[in-house]
Amino acid sequence: MREILGRRRKFSLRRGARSPLLRAALTCATEWQWPVLPGVGLAPGGGRPRSCGCPDPDCAVPGGHPFDPVLLAATTDPRMVRWWWTNRPTAPVLLATGGRGPCAVSLPAVAGMRALDAIERFGVRLGPVIATPTRWSLLVAPYSLEELGDLLYRQDWVPSSLRFHGEGGYLVLPPSQLGAGGVRWERAPLRRGGRPWLPEIATVLEALVEASTSAPDGGSRLAY
């Protein structure tokens, strides 16, 4: 009996090791030192749209939020990461933003496409960009709440479509699946010396504001 249980456990570990989500989580945690944890995931069933695995029938972000474990459990410990995704190989990979992990600025998907085109024409260097069917997130170096507040205060105007993901927040990482669809890298991380390069929040925010106010028709590129 012990031999059978041992074989089953080894098979489960090998199967889990082949999970692209486990590989992604281990890369983030061990190579990049980004704290991660599994998201709640989607409820079983093939219906569309897919419902969240949490108890809330009206969940606004199906599959893509912490539940059990909670956000404070995010870690870079490979043993914990392997245990989580060996037991839940389809769980979304969540990044705990701020602290040791990157922060981010996100905006609606259509606005994100327009903004990236404009920013590239300005010659501004961007870091990794995560794309979901509804929003795009531009990863930036960690910043404090005080730093962000001071930066926003200095701006004449900031598009209302922007959201800021700092300490105590989270993002869903590729190749996770959400109720609205898949998560992918629009701009994959570029690594130098192990960890991906990240721009400063001031550079990205100023470029986004400039991209929005430079719309040819006088409107905003970052509108919904």
Side-chain angles (χ1 to χ4, degrees):
M1 178 62 72
R2 287 183 178 178
E3 286 187 18
I4 294 175
L5 291 175
R7 288 173 185 170
R8 286 180 178 174
R9 183 174 182 274
K10 289 180 181 178
F11 175 76
S12 176
L13 289 172
R14 286 198 299 270
R15 181 178 60 184
R18 292 197 296 268
S19 165
L21 291 162
L22 171 57
R23 290 198 299 271
L26 284 172
T27 296
C28 291
T30 62
E31 295 183 29
W32 302 348
Q33 290 296 294
W34 292 359
V36 297
L37 75 159
V40 63
L42 297 170
R48 290 288 187 273
R50 297 286 298 278
S51 60
C52 188
C54 76
D56 184 0
D58 300 316
C59 182
V61 284
H65 64 87
F67 182 66
D68 183 16
V70 297
L71 184 60
L72 289 176
T75 184
T76 57
D77 183 348
R79 296 168 299 178
M80 195 72 244
V81 171
R82 284 186 180 279
W83 188 87
W84 277 333
W85 272 275
T86 296
N87 287 278
R88 298 171 55 196
T90 62
V93 181
L94 301 188
L95 163 69
T97 54
R100 292 178 295 169
C103 293
V105 183
S106 72
L107 62 164
V110 174
M113 287 185 281
R114 296 170 180 164
L116 259 62
D117 288 342
I119 290 172
E120 287 180 343
R121 287 198 295 271
F122 298 154
V124 175
R125 182 187 178 193
L126 290 176
V129 179
I130 299 170
T132 76
T134 56
R135 293 189 74 83
W136 285 20
S137 301
L138 286 61
L139 300 191
V140 298
Y143 57 76
S144 67
L145 184 60
E146 292 76 14
E147 180 183 358
L148 176 62
D150 182 64
L151 179 61
L152 293 175
Y153 179 77
R154 296 200 308 265
Q155 304 297 320
D156 293 331
W157 173 79
V158 175
S160 61
S161 60
L162 298 183
R163 296 179 188 167
F164 300 92
H165 308 262
E167 186 76 31
Y170 64 89
L171 290 172
V172 185
L173 296 177
S176 304
Q177 291 290 321
L178 304 177
V183 182
R184 61 181 175 82
W185 291 111
E186 175 63 24
R187 297 286 188 277
L190 296 177
R191 288 179 282 176
R192 291 184 179 178
R195 303 184 70 175
W197 178 84
L198 298 169
E200 296 296 323
I201 178 64
T203 303
V204 171
L205 179 59
E206 290 169 2
L208 285 171
V209 171
E210 177 65 22
S212 179
T213 56
S214 64
D217 60 356
S220 172
R221 295 179 191 272
L222 307 192
Y224 285 91

